[in-house]
Coordinates of all heavy atoms in Angstrom, one line a residue:
H1078 N -0.7 -23.6 -21.5 CA -1.1 -22.4 -21.0 C -2.6 -22.2 -21.1 O -3.2 -22.6 -22.1 CB -0.4 -21.2 -21.7 CG 1.1 -21.3 -21.5 ND1 1.8 -20.9 -20.4 CD2 2.1 -21.7 -22.4 CE1 3.1 -21.0 -20.6 NE2 3.3 -21.5 -21.8
S1079 N -3.2 -21.6 -20.1 CA -4.6 -21.3 -20.2 C -4.8 -19.8 -20.1 O -4.0 -19.1 -19.5 CB -5.4 -22.0 -19.1 OG -5.0 -21.6 -17.8
L1080 N -5.8 -19.3 -20.8 CA -6.1 -17.9 -20.8 C -7.2 -17.7 -19.7 O -8.1 -18.4 -19.5 CB -6.7 -17.5 -22.1 CG -5.8 -17.6 -23.3 CD1 -6.5 -17.3 -24.6 CD2 -4.6 -16.7 -23.1
N1081 N -7.0 -16.6 -19.0 CA -8.0 -16.2 -18.0 C -8.9 -15.1 -18.6 O -8.5 -13.9 -18.6 CB -7.3 -15.7 -16.7 CG -8.3 -15.4 -15.6 OD1 -9.4 -15.8 -15.7 ND2 -7.9 -14.6 -14.6
I1082 N -10.0 -15.5 -19.2 CA -10.9 -14.6 -19.9 C -12.2 -14.5 -19.1 O -12.8 -15.5 -18.8 CB -11.2 -15.1 -21.3 CG1 -9.9 -15.1 -22.1 CG2 -12.2 -14.2 -22.0 CD1 -10.0 -15.7 -23.5
E1083 N -12.6 -13.3 -18.7 CA -13.8 -13.1 -18.0 C -14.7 -12.2 -18.8 O -14.3 -11.1 -19.2 CB -13.5 -12.4 -16.6 CG -12.7 -13.3 -15.7 CD -12.4 -12.6 -14.4 OE1 -13.2 -11.7 -14.0 OE2 -11.5 -13.0 -13.7
E1084 N -15.9 -12.6 -19.0 CA -17.0 -11.8 -19.7 C -17.9 -11.3 -18.6 O -18.5 -12.1 -17.9 CB -17.7 -12.6 -20.7 CG -18.7 -11.8 -21.5 CD -19.5 -12.5 -22.5 OE1 -19.2 -13.7 -22.7 OE2 -20.3 -11.9 -23.2
E1085 N -18.1 -10.0 -18.6 CA -19.0 -9.4 -17.6 C -19.5 -8.1 -18.1 O -18.7 -7.2 -18.6 CB -18.3 -9.2 -16.3 CG -19.1 -8.7 -15.1 CD -18.4 -8.6 -13.8 OE1 -17.3 -9.4 -13.7 OE2 -18.8 -7.9 -13.0
N1086 N -20.8 -7.8 -18.0 CA -21.5 -6.6 -18.4 C -21.1 -6.2 -19.9 O -20.8 -5.0 -20.2 CB -21.1 -5.4 -17.5 CG -21.6 -5.7 -16.1 OD1 -22.6 -6.3 -15.9 ND2 -20.8 -5.3 -15.1
G1087 N -21.1 -7.1 -20.8 CA -20.8 -6.8 -22.2 C -19.4 -6.5 -22.5 O -19.1 -5.9 -23.5
K1088 N -18.5 -6.9 -21.6 CA -17.1 -6.7 -21.8 C -16.3 -8.0 -21.5 O -16.7 -8.8 -20.8 CB -16.6 -5.6 -20.8 CG -17.2 -4.2 -21.1 CD -16.7 -3.2 -20.2 CE -17.3 -1.8 -20.5 NZ -16.7 -0.7 -19.8
I1089 N -15.1 -8.0 -22.2 CA -14.2 -9.1 -22.0 C -13.0 -8.5 -21.3 O -12.3 -7.7 -21.8 CB -13.8 -9.8 -23.3 CG1 -15.0 -10.4 -24.0 CG2 -12.7 -10.8 -23.1 CD1 -14.7 -11.0 -25.3
N1090 N -12.7 -9.0 -20.0 CA -11.6 -8.5 -19.2 C -11.6 -6.9 -19.2 O -10.6 -6.3 -19.3 CB -10.3 -9.0 -19.7 CG -10.1 -10.5 -19.4 OD1 -11.0 -11.1 -18.9 ND2 -9.0 -11.0 -19.9
G1091 N -12.8 -6.4 -19.1 CA -13.0 -4.9 -19.1 C -13.0 -4.2 -20.4 O -13.2 -3.0 -20.4
E1092 N -12.8 -4.9 -21.5 CA -12.8 -4.3 -22.8 C -14.2 -4.5 -23.5 O -14.6 -5.7 -23.6 CB -11.7 -4.8 -23.7 CG -10.3 -4.5 -23.2 CD -10.0 -3.0 -23.5 OE1 -10.5 -2.4 -24.5 OE2 -9.2 -2.4 -22.7
S1093 N -14.8 -3.5 -24.0 CA -16.1 -3.7 -24.8 C -15.8 -4.3 -26.1 O -14.7 -4.2 -26.7 CB -16.8 -2.3 -24.9 OG -16.0 -1.4 -25.7
Y1094 N -16.8 -5.1 -26.6 CA -16.7 -5.8 -27.8 C -18.0 -5.9 -28.5 O -19.0 -5.7 -27.9 CB -16.1 -7.2 -27.6 CG -17.0 -8.2 -26.9 CD1 -17.8 -9.0 -27.6 CD2 -17.2 -8.2 -25.5 CE1 -18.7 -9.9 -27.0 CE2 -18.0 -9.0 -24.9 CZ -18.8 -9.9 -25.6 OH -19.7 -10.7 -25.0
S1095 N -17.9 -6.3 -29.8 CA -19.2 -6.6 -30.5 C -18.9 -8.0 -31.2 O -17.8 -8.4 -31.3 CB -19.5 -5.5 -31.5 OG -18.4 -5.3 -32.4
S1096 N -20.0 -8.6 -31.7 CA -19.9 -9.9 -32.3 C -19.7 -9.7 -33.8 O -20.4 -8.9 -34.4 CB -21.1 -10.7 -32.1 OG -21.2 -11.1 -30.7
A1097 N -18.8 -10.5 -34.4 CA -18.6 -10.4 -35.8 C -19.5 -11.4 -36.6 O -20.4 -12.0 -36.0 CB -17.1 -10.8 -36.1
I1098 N -19.3 -11.6 -37.8 CA -20.1 -12.4 -38.7 C -20.2 -13.8 -38.1 O -21.3 -14.4 -38.1 CB -19.6 -12.4 -40.1 CG1 -19.8 -11.0 -40.8 CG2 -20.3 -13.5 -41.0 CD1 -19.2 -10.9 -42.1
T1099 N -19.1 -14.4 -37.7 CA -19.1 -15.8 -37.2 C -19.5 -15.9 -35.8 O -19.5 -17.0 -35.2 CB -17.7 -16.4 -37.4 OG1 -16.7 -15.6 -36.6 CG2 -17.2 -16.4 -38.8
G1100 N -19.7 -14.7 -35.1 CA -20.0 -14.7 -33.7 C -18.8 -14.5 -32.8 O -18.9 -14.4 -31.6
S1101 N -17.7 -14.4 -33.4 CA -16.4 -14.2 -32.7 C -16.4 -12.8 -32.1 O -16.9 -11.9 -32.7 CB -15.2 -14.3 -33.6 OG -15.1 -15.6 -34.2
P1102 N -15.9 -12.6 -30.9 CA -15.9 -11.3 -30.3 C -14.7 -10.5 -30.9 O -13.6 -10.9 -31.1 CB -15.6 -11.6 -28.8 CG -14.8 -12.9 -28.8 CD -15.4 -13.7 -30.0
I1103 N -15.1 -9.2 -31.3 CA -14.1 -8.3 -31.8 C -14.0 -7.1 -30.8 O -15.0 -6.5 -30.6 CB -14.5 -7.8 -33.2 CG1 -14.7 -8.9 -34.2 CG2 -13.5 -6.8 -33.7 CD1 -13.5 -9.7 -34.5
L1104 N -12.8 -6.9 -30.3 CA -12.7 -5.8 -29.3 C -12.9 -4.5 -30.0 O -12.4 -4.2 -31.1 CB -11.3 -5.9 -28.7 CG -11.0 -7.1 -27.9 CD1 -9.5 -7.1 -27.4 CD2 -11.9 -7.2 -26.7
D1105 N -13.7 -3.6 -29.4 CA -14.0 -2.3 -30.0 C -12.8 -1.4 -30.2 O -12.8 -0.6 -31.1 CB -15.1 -1.6 -29.2 CG -16.4 -2.3 -29.2 OD1 -16.7 -3.1 -30.1 OD2 -17.3 -2.1 -28.3
N1106 N -11.8 -1.6 -29.3 CA -10.6 -0.8 -29.4 C -9.5 -1.3 -30.3 O -8.5 -0.6 -30.5 CB -10.0 -0.6 -28.0 CG -10.8 0.3 -27.1 OD1 -11.5 1.2 -27.7 ND2 -10.8 0.1 -25.9
C1107 N -9.7 -2.4 -31.0 CA -8.7 -3.0 -31.8 C -8.7 -2.1 -33.1 O -9.7 -1.8 -33.6 CB -8.9 -4.4 -32.1 SG -10.2 -4.9 -33.2
P1108 N -7.5 -1.8 -33.7 CA -7.4 -1.0 -34.9 C -7.8 -1.7 -36.1 O -8.2 -1.1 -37.1 CB -5.9 -0.6 -34.9 CG -5.2 -1.6 -34.1 CD -6.2 -2.1 -33.1
A1109 N -7.7 -3.0 -36.1 CA -8.1 -3.8 -37.3 C -8.3 -5.3 -36.9 O -7.8 -5.7 -35.8 CB -7.0 -3.7 -38.4
Y1110 N -9.0 -6.0 -37.7 CA -9.2 -7.4 -37.4 C -9.4 -8.2 -38.7 O -9.7 -7.7 -39.7 CB -10.3 -7.7 -36.5 CG -11.7 -7.4 -37.0 CD1 -12.4 -8.4 -37.7 CD2 -12.3 -6.2 -36.9 CE1 -13.7 -8.1 -38.2 CE2 -13.5 -5.9 -37.4 CZ -14.2 -6.9 -38.1 OH -15.5 -6.6 -38.6
I1111 N -9.1 -9.5 -38.6 CA -9.3 -10.5 -39.7 C -10.1 -11.6 -39.1 O -9.7 -12.2 -38.1 CB -8.0 -11.0 -40.3 CG1 -7.2 -9.9 -40.9 CG2 -8.4 -12.1 -41.4 CD1 -5.8 -10.3 -41.4
E1112 N -11.3 -11.9 -39.6 CA -12.1 -13.0 -39.1 C -12.0 -14.1 -40.1 O -12.2 -14.0 -41.3 CB -13.6 -12.4 -39.0 CG -14.5 -13.4 -38.4 CD -15.9 -12.8 -38.3 OE1 -16.2 -11.7 -38.9 OE2 -16.7 -13.4 -37.7
C1113 N -11.8 -15.3 -39.6 CA -11.6 -16.5 -40.4 C -12.4 -17.6 -40.0 O -12.8 -17.7 -38.8 CB -10.1 -16.9 -40.4 SG -8.9 -15.7 -41.0
S1114 N -12.7 -18.6 -40.9 CA -13.2 -19.9 -40.5 C -12.1 -20.9 -40.6 O -11.2 -20.8 -41.5 CB -14.4 -20.2 -41.4 OG -14.0 -20.4 -42.7
L1115 N -12.0 -21.8 -39.7 CA -11.0 -22.8 -39.7 C -11.2 -23.8 -40.8 O -12.2 -24.4 -41.0 CB -10.9 -23.5 -38.4 CG -9.8 -24.5 -38.2 CD1 -8.5 -23.8 -38.2 CD2 -10.0 -25.2 -36.8
S1116 N -10.1 -23.9 -41.7 CA -10.2 -24.8 -42.8 C -9.5 -26.1 -42.5 O -9.9 -27.2 -42.9 CB -9.6 -24.2 -44.1 OG -10.3 -23.0 -44.5
E1117 N -8.3 -26.0 -41.8 CA -7.5 -27.2 -41.6 C -6.5 -27.0 -40.5 O -6.1 -25.8 -40.2 CB -6.7 -27.5 -42.9 CG -5.9 -28.8 -42.9 CD -5.2 -29.1 -44.2 OE1 -5.4 -28.3 -45.2 OE2 -4.6 -30.1 -44.3
V1118 N -6.2 -28.0 -39.8 CA -5.2 -28.0 -38.7 C -4.1 -29.0 -39.2 O -4.4 -30.2 -39.4 CB -5.7 -28.4 -37.3 CG1 -4.6 -28.4 -36.3 CG2 -6.8 -27.4 -36.9
I1119 N -2.9 -28.5 -39.3 CA -1.8 -29.4 -39.7 C -0.8 -29.5 -38.5 O -0.3 -28.5 -38.0 CB -1.0 -28.8 -40.9 CG1 -2.0 -28.5 -42.0 CG2 0.2 -29.6 -41.3 CD1 -1.4 -27.6 -43.1
D1120 N -0.7 -30.7 -38.0 CA 0.2 -31.0 -36.8 C 1.6 -31.4 -37.4 O 1.7 -32.4 -38.1 CB -0.4 -32.1 -35.9 CG -1.7 -31.6 -35.2 OD1 -1.7 -30.5 -34.7 OD2 -2.6 -32.4 -35.2
I1121 N 2.6 -30.7 -36.9 CA 4.0 -31.0 -37.3 C 4.8 -30.9 -36.1 O 5.0 -29.9 -35.5 CB 4.5 -30.0 -38.4 CG1 3.6 -30.0 -39.6 CG2 6.0 -30.3 -38.7 CD1 4.0 -29.0 -40.7
G1122 N 5.4 -32.1 -35.7 CA 6.2 -32.1 -34.5 C 5.3 -31.7 -33.3 O 4.2 -32.2 -33.1
D1123 N 5.8 -30.8 -32.5 CA 5.1 -30.3 -31.3 C 4.4 -28.9 -31.6 O 4.0 -28.2 -30.7 CB 6.0 -30.1 -30.1 CG 7.1 -29.1 -30.3 OD1 7.3 -28.7 -31.5 OD2 7.8 -28.8 -29.4
H1124 N 4.2 -28.6 -32.9 CA 3.5 -27.4 -33.3 C 2.3 -27.8 -34.1 O 2.2 -28.8 -34.8 CB 4.4 -26.5 -34.1 CG 5.4 -25.8 -33.3 ND1 6.5 -26.4 -32.7 CD2 5.5 -24.5 -32.9 CE1 7.2 -25.5 -32.1 NE2 6.7 -24.4 -32.2
S1125 N 1.3 -26.9 -34.2 CA 0.1 -27.0 -35.0 C 0.0 -25.7 -35.9 O 0.2 -24.6 -35.4 CB -1.2 -27.2 -34.2 OG -1.1 -28.3 -33.5
I1126 N -0.3 -25.9 -37.1 CA -0.5 -24.8 -38.0 C -2.0 -24.7 -38.3 O -2.6 -25.7 -38.7 CB 0.3 -24.9 -39.4 CG1 1.8 -25.0 -39.1 CG2 0.0 -23.8 -40.3 CD1 2.6 -25.4 -40.2
F1127 N -2.6 -23.6 -38.1 CA -4.0 -23.4 -38.4 C -4.2 -22.7 -39.7 O -3.7 -21.5 -39.8 CB -4.7 -22.7 -37.2 CG -4.6 -23.4 -35.9 CD1 -3.6 -23.3 -35.1 CD2 -5.7 -24.3 -35.5 CE1 -3.5 -24.0 -33.9 CE2 -5.6 -25.0 -34.4 CZ -4.5 -24.9 -33.5
V1128 N -4.9 -23.3 -40.6 CA -5.2 -22.6 -41.9 C -6.6 -22.2 -41.9 O -7.6 -22.9 -41.6 CB -5.0 -23.6 -43.0 CG1 -5.2 -23.0 -44.4 CG2 -3.5 -24.2 -43.0
G1129 N -6.8 -20.9 -42.2 CA -8.2 -20.3 -42.2 C -8.5 -19.7 -43.5 O -7.7 -19.2 -44.2
E1130 N -9.8 -19.6 -43.7 CA -10.4 -18.8 -44.9 C -10.9 -17.5 -44.4 O -11.7 -17.5 -43.4 CB -11.5 -19.6 -45.5 CG -12.2 -18.9 -46.7 CD -13.4 -19.6 -47.2 OE1 -13.7 -20.7 -46.8 OE2 -14.0 -19.0 -48.1
V1131 N -10.4 -16.4 -44.9 CA -10.9 -15.1 -44.5 C -12.3 -14.9 -44.9 O -12.7 -15.1 -46.0 CB -10.0 -14.0 -45.1 CG1 -10.6 -12.6 -44.8 CG2 -8.6 -14.1 -44.7
I1132 N -13.1 -14.6 -43.9 CA -14.6 -14.4 -44.0 C -14.9 -12.9 -44.1 O -15.7 -12.4 -44.8 CB -15.4 -15.0 -42.9 CG1 -15.1 -16.5 -42.8 CG2 -16.8 -14.8 -43.0 CD1 -15.5 -17.3 -44.0
N1133 N -14.1 -12.1 -43.2 CA -14.4 -10.7 -43.1 C -13.1 -10.0 -42.6 O -12.4 -10.7 -41.8 CB -15.6 -10.5 -42.1 CG -16.0 -9.1 -42.0 OD1 -15.8 -8.3 -43.0 ND2 -16.6 -8.7 -40.9
A1134 N -12.9 -8.8 -42.9 CA -11.7 -8.0 -42.4 C -12.1 -6.6 -42.4 O -12.9 -6.1 -43.2 CB -10.5 -8.3 -43.3
E1135 N -11.5 -5.9 -41.5 CA -11.8 -4.4 -41.4 C -10.6 -3.7 -40.8 O -10.0 -4.2 -39.8 CB -13.0 -4.1 -40.5 CG -13.4 -2.7 -40.4 CD -14.6 -2.4 -39.6 OE1 -15.3 -3.3 -39.1 OE2 -14.9 -1.2 -39.4
V1136 N -10.3 -2.6 -41.3 CA -9.3 -1.6 -40.7 C -10.1 -0.5 -40.2 O -10.7 0.3 -40.9 CB -8.3 -1.1 -41.7 CG1 -7.4 -0.1 -41.1 CG2 -7.5 -2.3 -42.3
K1137 N -10.2 -0.4 -38.8 CA -11.0 0.6 -38.2 C -10.3 2.0 -38.1 O -10.9 3.0 -38.2 CB -11.3 0.2 -36.8 CG -12.2 -1.0 -36.7 CD -12.5 -1.4 -35.2 CE -13.4 -2.6 -35.1 NZ -13.6 -2.8 -33.6
N1138 N -9.0 1.9 -37.9 CA -8.1 3.1 -37.8 C -7.0 3.0 -38.7 O -6.1 2.2 -38.5 CB -7.7 3.3 -36.3 CG -8.8 3.4 -35.4 OD1 -9.8 4.1 -35.6 ND2 -8.7 2.8 -34.2
I1139 N -6.9 3.9 -39.7 CA -5.8 3.9 -40.6 C -4.5 4.4 -39.9 O -4.6 5.4 -39.3 CB -6.0 4.8 -41.9 CG1 -7.3 4.4 -42.6 CG2 -4.9 4.8 -42.8 CD1 -7.3 3.0 -43.2
P1140 N -3.4 3.6 -39.9 CA -2.2 4.0 -39.2 C -1.6 5.3 -39.8 O -1.7 5.5 -41.0 CB -1.3 2.8 -39.2 CG -1.8 2.0 -40.4 CD -3.2 2.3 -40.5
D1141 N -1.0 6.1 -39.0 CA -0.2 7.3 -39.5 C 1.1 6.8 -40.0 O 1.7 5.8 -39.5 CB 0.0 8.3 -38.3 CG -1.3 8.9 -37.9 OD1 -2.2 9.0 -38.7 OD2 -1.3 9.3 -36.7
G1142 N 1.7 7.5 -41.0 CA 3.0 7.2 -41.5 C 3.0 5.9 -42.3 O 2.0 5.6 -42.9
R1143 N 4.2 5.3 -42.4 CA 4.3 4.1 -43.2 C 3.6 2.9 -42.5 O 3.8 2.6 -41.4 CB 5.8 3.8 -43.3 CG 6.6 4.7 -44.1 CD 8.0 4.4 -44.1 NE 8.2 2.9 -44.4 CZ 9.2 2.4 -45.2 NH1 10.1 3.2 -45.7 NH2 9.3 1.1 -45.3
P1144 N 2.8 2.2 -43.3 CA 2.1 1.0 -42.7 C 3.0 0.0 -42.1 O 2.7 -0.7 -41.1 CB 1.2 0.5 -43.9 CG 1.1 1.6 -44.8 CD 2.3 2.5 -44.6
D1145 N 4.2 -0.2 -42.8 CA 5.1 -1.3 -42.3 C 5.7 -1.0 -41.0 O 6.3 -1.8 -40.3 CB 6.1 -1.6 -43.4 CG 7.0 -0.5 -43.8 OD1 6.6 0.7 -43.4 OD2 8.0 -0.7 -44.4
S1146 N 5.7 0.3 -40.6 CA 6.3 0.6 -39.3 C 5.3 0.3 -38.1 O 5.7 0.3 -37.0 CB 6.6 2.1 -39.2 OG 5.4 2.9 -39.2
N1147 N 4.1 -0.1 -38.5 CA 3.1 -0.5 -37.5 C 2.9 -2.0 -37.3 O 2.0 -2.5 -36.7 CB 1.8 0.1 -37.8 CG 1.8 1.6 -37.5 OD1 1.8 2.1 -36.4 ND2 1.9 2.4 -38.6
T1148 N 3.7 -2.8 -38.0 CA 3.6 -4.3 -37.9 C 4.1 -4.8 -36.5 O 4.8 -4.1 -35.8 CB 4.4 -5.0 -39.0 OG1 5.8 -4.6 -38.9 CG2 3.9 -4.6 -40.4
L1149 N 3.6 -5.9 -36.2 CA 4.0 -6.5 -34.9 C 5.4 -7.0 -34.9 O 5.9 -7.5 -35.9 CB 3.1 -7.7 -34.6 CG 1.6 -7.4 -34.4 CD1 0.8 -8.7 -34.2 CD2 1.4 -6.5 -33.2
T1150 N 6.1 -6.7 -33.8 CA 7.5 -7.2 -33.7 C 7.7 -7.8 -32.4 O 7.0 -7.5 -31.4 CB 8.5 -6.0 -33.9 OG1 8.2 -5.0 -32.9 CG2 8.4 -5.3 -35.2
L1151 N 8.6 -8.7 -32.3 CA 9.0 -9.4 -31.0 C 9.9 -8.4 -30.3 O 10.9 -8.0 -30.7 CB 9.7 -10.7 -31.3 CG 10.0 -11.5 -30.1 CD1 8.8 -11.9 -29.3 CD2 10.8 -12.8 -30.5
K1152 N 9.4 -8.0 -29.1 CA 10.2 -7.0 -28.3 C 10.6 -7.7 -27.0 O 10.1 -8.7 -26.6 CB 9.3 -5.9 -28.0 CG 8.8 -5.1 -29.2 CD 7.9 -3.9 -28.8 CE 7.4 -3.2 -30.0 NZ 6.5 -2.1 -29.7
D1153 N 11.6 -7.1 -26.4 CA 12.1 -7.6 -25.1 C 11.0 -7.3 -24.1 O 10.7 -6.1 -23.8 CB 13.4 -6.9 -24.7 CG 14.0 -7.4 -23.4 OD1 13.4 -8.3 -22.8 OD2 15.0 -6.9 -23.0
L1154 N 10.4 -8.3 -23.5 CA 9.3 -8.1 -22.5 C 9.8 -8.3 -21.1 O 9.0 -8.4 -20.2 CB 8.2 -9.1 -22.9 CG 7.6 -9.0 -24.3 CD1 6.6 -10.0 -24.6 CD2 7.0 -7.6 -24.4
G1155 N 11.1 -8.4 -20.9 CA 11.6 -8.6 -19.5 C 12.0 -10.0 -19.2 O 11.9 -10.9 -20.0
D1156 N 12.6 -10.1 -18.0 CA 13.2 -11.4 -17.6 C 12.1 -12.5 -17.4 O 12.5 -13.7 -17.5 CB 13.9 -11.2 -16.3 CG 15.2 -10.3 -16.5 OD1 15.7 -10.2 -17.7 OD2 15.6 -9.7 -15.5
K1157 N 10.9 -12.2 -17.1 CA 9.9 -13.2 -16.8 C 9.1 -13.7 -18.1 O 8.3 -14.6 -18.0 CB 8.9 -12.7 -15.8 CG 9.6 -12.5 -14.4 CD 8.6 -12.1 -13.4 CE 9.4 -11.9 -12.1 NZ 8.5 -11.7 -11.0
I1158 N 9.4 -13.1 -19.2 CA 8.7 -13.5 -20.4 C 9.7 -14.0 -21.4 O 10.7 -13.4 -21.7 CB 8.0 -12.2 -21.1 CG1 7.0 -11.5 -20.1 CG2 7.2 -12.6 -22.4 CD1 5.8 -12.4 -19.7
F1159 N 9.4 -15.2 -21.9 CA 10.3 -15.9 -22.8 C 9.5 -16.5 -24.0 O 8.5 -17.2 -23.8 CB 11.1 -17.0 -22.2 CG 12.0 -17.8 -23.1 CD1 13.1 -17.2 -23.7 CD2 11.6 -19.0 -23.5 CE1 13.9 -17.9 -24.6 CE2 12.4 -19.8 -24.4 CZ 13.5 -19.2 -24.9
Y1160 N 9.9 -16.1 -25.2 CA 9.3 -16.7 -26.4 C 10.3 -17.7 -26.9 O 11.4 -17.3 -27.4 CB 8.9 -15.6 -27.4 CG 8.5 -16.3 -28.7 CD1 7.2 -16.8 -28.8 CD2 9.3 -16.4 -29.8 CE1 6.8 -17.4 -30.0 CE2 8.9 -17.0 -31.0 CZ 7.6 -17.5 -31.1 OH 7.2 -18.1 -32.2
G1161 N 10.0 -18.9 -26.9 CA 11.0 -20.0 -27.3 C 10.8 -20.5 -28.7 O 11.3 -21.5 -29.1
G1162 N 9.9 -19.9 -29.5 CA 9.6 -20.4 -30.8 C 10.6 -20.0 -31.8 O 10.8 -20.5 -32.8

C-alpha cells in the first residue's frame, strides 16, 4: 500500500503541523504524540517489528473521563475495509 500525502501551504492533506525534535511532522490537531528514533527492525515471516527509542512525548489535550476509555480499538469500518492482521 502507498500513502497519498500532499504537503501544501504548511499543511499535510489540509491539516496544519509543526516539526518535532527529530524533524518529524506532528499534526497540530492530534491530542498526543510519541516521537521515536528507530533503534532496530526485526523481520519475522511477512511482518516487521519496529523498535524505537522514545525521544519526546506530549499530551496536548487531557482526555475526559477514564483514560482507558480513549484507547484505540479496532472497529467495524464497513465492507470495503479489512484488517487481516
Side-chain angles (χ1 to χ4, degrees):
H1078 299 282
S1079 64
L1080 297 175
N1081 186 16
I1082 298 173
E1083 296 181 21
E1084 182 180 3
E1085 187 175 335
N1086 297 324
K1088 296 183 177 187
I1089 297 175
N1090 291 359
E1092 292 288 329
S1093 60
Y1094 71 95
S1095 57
S1096 294
I1098 292 172
T1099 63
S1101 299
I1103 303 297
L1104 297 176
D1105 292 340
N1106 287 331
C1107 72
Y1110 68 89
I1111 299 173
E1112 185 178 10
C1113 298
S1114 65
L1115 184 61
S1116 298
E1117 184 176 0
V1118 178
I1119 303 167
D1120 293 316
I1121 300 175
D1123 62 350
H1124 286 71
S1125 298
I1126 300 170
F1127 296 87
V1128 180
E1130 177 185 355
V1131 175
I1132 302 298
N1133 188 25
E1135 181 180 355
V1136 175
K1137 295 179 179 183
N1138 301 317
I1139 304 296
D1141 293 331
R1143 291 177 48 139
D1145 59 346
S1146 66
N1147 289 288
T1148 58
L1149 296 176
T1150 57
L1151 183 61
K1152 297 179 181 178
D1153 182 2
L1154 300 175
D1156 294 335
K1157 296 185 179 188
I1158 306 294
F1159 174 72
Y1160 174 76

